[in-house]
Every structure is written in structure tokens, then in C-alpha cells.
DNA sequence: AATATAATTTAGGTATTCCTAAATTATTCT
DNA sequence: AGAATAATTTAGGAATACCTAAATTATATT
């Protein structure tokens, strides 16, 4: 029999997907932190999901976990729900990009495939959510994302903001205050690798801003030729 | 401490509200049937909710349950969510009235008060859902409903359909096929109390239809002067 | 009023998902 | 390499929400 995908399991899979994006296995501790539960609880769930039929995770003691193909499909389904919902809430109910995450976090588990289809169609099958995150297609293929973090730019480079890795309200509001929204044109002025600080000019703003790595590692851009 | 309103508890309260609408307590068996669980399980939950602080139910062994004021407030909150969601799904996503119930049944438990406010405002604070059921106001007052069931009409009366008590797809599709939708004008022809059958002319239809109590007890109308 | 029937409750379990504390294993440092 | 530290797992337990089977209580029938 197939493992029932409870809300809890859906959140495990989604977070494992995001943690293993780099190719590295997700550690028990990292998962526990993201999920806000005790590491011991994660071990238990991970053991269960890796011995389910079919297994949703590949797990070796003390080595962390990766998703199986089955697990990845389930994860992408949840991520598609989440990101479509965020886009939908912004587009039709006037939510701002710092408000959508918590609402989508709950709705993602309860909407039907029919609901998913309807909102996707109503928006013309968008490929990005309000934070620029790619939305997996209906057949669960994740669109490419070639963007690089601001922190990796040289000085005197021009680029366009295309994605932010942030879900907490405070950081998102801060970014908006700086003009660092999706589509903003920016130009790096001074870049100092040693103290991890960067001066950035946002097009349409008077003053350049000084940014630390808490911001520059979370804002992704495409460099302009 | 306040009792956490789990999804399960929310469904108990909502169903108890609907069962006690008449003024009679809800029986264990009736509740069990509506919720699709065993009567023994209902007894357990009912005991818990009636001894919670504050109590959500008034319960005496073998006498059934009623909602306390606290319990009623919680029930109306869930019902408001459900009915607003149904209205919104129909209005913005093209759901038909026979498709909305199951989707709303899940969404009702996860939307925030903010979400509730936004969809209510977007629709101009509607007072009825797609089935004509009254939607509790934001301060949780249930609008009056003076309608009577078709089954209670005399012959030669004219009336307007204003509410249907139905949530299963089949019955709703059947009603739609008959033209018995919200706002339809109807006129009773022959009414036979003995075999519970009624002949009804729906305005705009060629043929009169013959209806049994499975339909006439679920379609509510306002009689036209 | 006694008995049969129906409704309800109690008793004893299961599954899920989380917890803390203690034990174990892996990694890092000297 | 051995010791200290950090990460992980195991053990034992709690809360929630169900279940079935058996016992009890209420209601209806004769
Ligand atoms: Mn979630
Ligand atoms: Mn997002
Ligand atoms: Mn429900
Ligand atoms: Mn309805």
C-alpha cells in the first residue's frame, strides 16, 4: 500500500527537497531546525519514510537523507501548490509578498488537483511565484533558474533582480523598502570580499545602499550583458 | 487554557450546530452518521468537549448535546468560512454549485481571519452562499431565513426558490436539471399529501415535473403574494 | 410491568506525530 | 592516536482521534 501523505509528511518532503537542492544530503539537524521540531523526531520520521513502500527517502544512519524519485514527485507537488497559491493570493486578493507565505503554507496541503488546475489556468500557468521562485509545471518539472546571488557579483556589474530567498515578513519588507523587488535594475559599485559588504545602486533611487551578506546572499539576479 | 480547535473539533461543532438548529439536542448516533465515524468515538469526543475549559458543549448522558455560547461562536466561525469559500469558489474560479462543497470542507479549517476578510470584502459581504444558505456575519450573527420547504406548500401557490439543503453532487445536478436553482419561480399544481408527491411548474419550462419528498423536503422557497 | 430492541457508553486497542533524556556514533582538535 | 565535542539515534512516553466488542441504559411493545 502507498504511504498516505499526511500534512506532516508533505512538509518533510518539501523541506528535504529544498535542503538537497545543492546535491548534498539533508542532515537530521538541519531538517529539525527548518521544521521546528526535535532532531529525535526527525530521525523517527525519516526512518519511517525510507522504509515505506515505495520508499520516499534514501537514508543511511548518520549520513542524512535524499529524496527518491517517488519522494521528489510528492515534494514537487507540494511546492507547486505552495507557489501557485502565493501567486494567486497576490494576484486576486491583494496580498503583499511578505504576507503570502504563511497562508500558502497551510493551504498547500488541502487544495485539490482541480483547484490547482483552476488557479494555474486563471493566471495563465505562471512560471514564477511572487518571490521569483520557479513553479514546477503540471507534470512536475522544475523550471531552470540560472540566477546568481548578489554576493557573488564583481564591482561595476549591472543586473536584474529575479528571485529572493526569503519568507519572513521582516526581511521581505526590508527588501521592498530598499527597492530590491523582482525586476529591479541594480549596479554594483564597491564590493569588499573581506568584510562581506557591498555598495549597490538601485535604478530609480537617489542614494546607493550598503548591504551585508544577510541581504546579498538572499537576493538573486541575472547579470545584464 | 483554551481548548485547541483541531480540524476534527471544528467539524463536530459545525455539525452539532446544524443538527440542533431545530432546538432539539443532537444525538450521538445522528452526529456519528454525519461525521462518518463510530458512535463510540462521538461519545468520547463529546465528553471531552463538554468538560473542556470553557465547555463547548452541554452534555448529559443519553440526552444528546447542545452547543454552549462558546461552542456556538466557534461553530459559526467555521460555517462562515465554509459558506464564504463556497461563494468565492463559484464566483472567482468557475466552480459549479455541485462541486464547491468538498473543496470548502477542507479549506474552511485552514484559512486565516485575514483571508476570510479579504474574500468577504472582494464579494461585497454576501449574505448567502451558492445554495442559498445564510452566511453568518463577521460578528457571527446568522441572518434570518424565513423560507419553507416545498413539501409544505398547498396546491396553486407561487413561490421563488431561495435555498436548497443539499451538498451531494448528484442531488444538486438533478435539481439543476429540473431548473430548481436559486431564484427560480415555481407554481404548485397538484399536491398529494398521502403519497407525498407534488406536481410543480417551473417558470420557463415546458413540462411540469412530479417531485417526491427527497426533493421537496430539501428545496426551500419564499411564497409570492 | 416485564421483555425485547435500540441507543449509548465503557473498556481496551491502534496509528500518528510529537516530546525528553540517555546512549551511541562521528568528527574535530591537540 | 586519544580526548573532547557535536550530531544522531534509541528508549520510553504523551496527546489526539479513531476503532471494535462488550456492557449498560433507555425506549417501545406486548
Ligand atoms: Mn505546510
Ligand atoms: Mn515564495
Ligand atoms: Mn470540514
Ligand atoms: Mn452551501
Amino acid at each position: 500500500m502507498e504511504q498516505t501523505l499526511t500534512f506532516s509528511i508533505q512538509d518533510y518532503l518539501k523541506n528535504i527537497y529544498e535542503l538537497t537542492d545543492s546535491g548534498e544530503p539533508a542532515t537530521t539537524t538541519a531538517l529539525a531546525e527548518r521544521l521546528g521540531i526535535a532532531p529525535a523526531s526527525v530521525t523517527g520520521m525519516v526512518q519511517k519514510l525510507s522504509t515505506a513502500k515505495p520508499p520516499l527517502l534514501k537514508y543511511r544512519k548518520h549520513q542524512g537523507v535524499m529524496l527518491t524519485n517517488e519522494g521528489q514527485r510528492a515534494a514537487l507537488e507540494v511546492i507547486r501548490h505552495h507557489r501557485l497559491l502565493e501567486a494567486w493570493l497576490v494576484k486576486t486578493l491583494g496580498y503583499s509578498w511578505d504576507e503570502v507565505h504563511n497562508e500558502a503554507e497551510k493551504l498547500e496541503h488541502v487544495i485539490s488537483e482541480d483547484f490547482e488546475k483552476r488557479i494555474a489556468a486563471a493566471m495563465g500557468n505562471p512560471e514564477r511565484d511572487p518571490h521569483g521562485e520557479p513553479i514546477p509545471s503540471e507534470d512536475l518539472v522544475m523550471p531552470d533558474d540560472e540566477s546568481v546571488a548578489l554576493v557573488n557579483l564583481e564591482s561595476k556589474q549591472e543586473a536584474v533582480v529575479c528571485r529572493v530567498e526569503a519568507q519572513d515578513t521582516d526581511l521581505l519588507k526590508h527588501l521592498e523598502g530598499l527597492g530590491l523587488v523582482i525586476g529591479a535594475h541594480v549596479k554594483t559599485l564597491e564590493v569588499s570580499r573581506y568584510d562581506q559588504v557591498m555598495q549597490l545602486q538601485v535604478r530609480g533611487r537617489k542614494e546607493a545602499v550598503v548591504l551585508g551578506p544577510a541581504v546579498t546572499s538572499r537576493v538573486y539576479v541575472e547579470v545584464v550583458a
Side-chain angles (χ1 to χ4, degrees), chain A:
Chain A
M1 248 244 273
E2 295 239 323
Q3 173 69 58
T4 306
L5 297 177
T6 63
F7 294 5
S8 191
I9 291 174
Q10 290 176 39
D11 280 335
Y12 273 88
L13 295 175
K14 187 178 66 164
N15 281 283
I16 291 166
Y17 182 95
E18 285 162 359
L19 281 171
T20 56
D21 213 15
S22 61
E24 288 299 294
T27 65
T28 302
T29 317
L31 243 183
E33 229 164 78
R34 278 179 82 107
L35 294 167
I37 63 185
S41 306
V42 171
T43 301
M45 179 64 93
V46 143
Q47 288 173 340
K48 180 171 104 170
L49 297 181
S50 64
T51 55
K53 307 182 300 179
L56 299 170
L57 302 178
K58 226 169 309 178
Y59 164 68
R60 280 185 24 242
K61 270 188 194 176
H62 298 97
Q63 303 298 128
V65 290
M66 297 285 284
L67 294 168
T68 61
N69 287 345
E70 285 284 337
Q72 185 178 80
R73 282 221 346 266
L76 286 169
E77 188 69 64
V78 182
I79 292 169
R80 177 167 164 83
H81 285 187
H82 185 99
R83 295 183 180 172
L84 279 174
L85 280 162
E86 285 192 345
W88 175 247
L89 292 170
V90 167
K91 199 155 203 172
T92 73
L93 289 175
Y95 276 80
S96 56
W97 77 343
D98 54 282
E99 295 172 319
V100 284
H101 183 78
N102 291 337
E103 201 79 65
E105 194 62 41
K106 294 177 297 173
L107 289 165
E108 65 189 2
H109 307 295
V110 302
I111 65 172
S112 66
E113 291 306 285
D114 185 32
F115 186 103
E116 174 198 308
K117 282 203 187 75
R118 284 175 194 262
I119 63 175
M123 293 185 292
N125 299 296
E127 290 211 341
R128 302 276 160 173
D129 82 3
H131 311 101
E133 304 271 14
I135 300 175
S137 63
E138 191 171 354
D139 54 340
L140 303 180
V141 176
M142 182 71 87
D144 289 344
D145 183 296
E146 313 272 284
S147 61
V148 292
L150 268 186
V151 73
N152 295 316
L153 293 193
E154 313 285 310
S155 62
K156 314 290 179 203
Q157 284 193 289
E158 292 191 40
V160 176
V161 175
C162 63
R163 182 162 67 90
V164 300
E165 270 184 7
Q167 40 203 43
D168 69 293
T169 301
D170 286 350
L171 176 52
L172 287 165
K173 277 195 168 131
H174 181 62
L175 293 176
E176 194 165 18
L178 295 171
L180 289 174
V181 297
I182 306 301
H185 284 252
V186 300
K187 182 173 182 182
T188 56
L189 304 178
E190 266 180 62
V191 171
S192 145
R193 273 285 132 59
Y194 306 105
D195 55 3
Q196 301 254 71
V197 162
M198 164 181 285
Q199 256 195 55
L200 192 81
Q201 177 64 53
V202 180
R203 186 182 293 178
R205 298 260 156 170
K206 288 225 170 82
E207 309 278 326
V209 289
V210 180
L211 304 174
V215 166
T216 55
S217 68
R218 288 187 172 80
V219 174
Y220 286 72
V221 298
E222 274 171 9
V223 177
V224 175

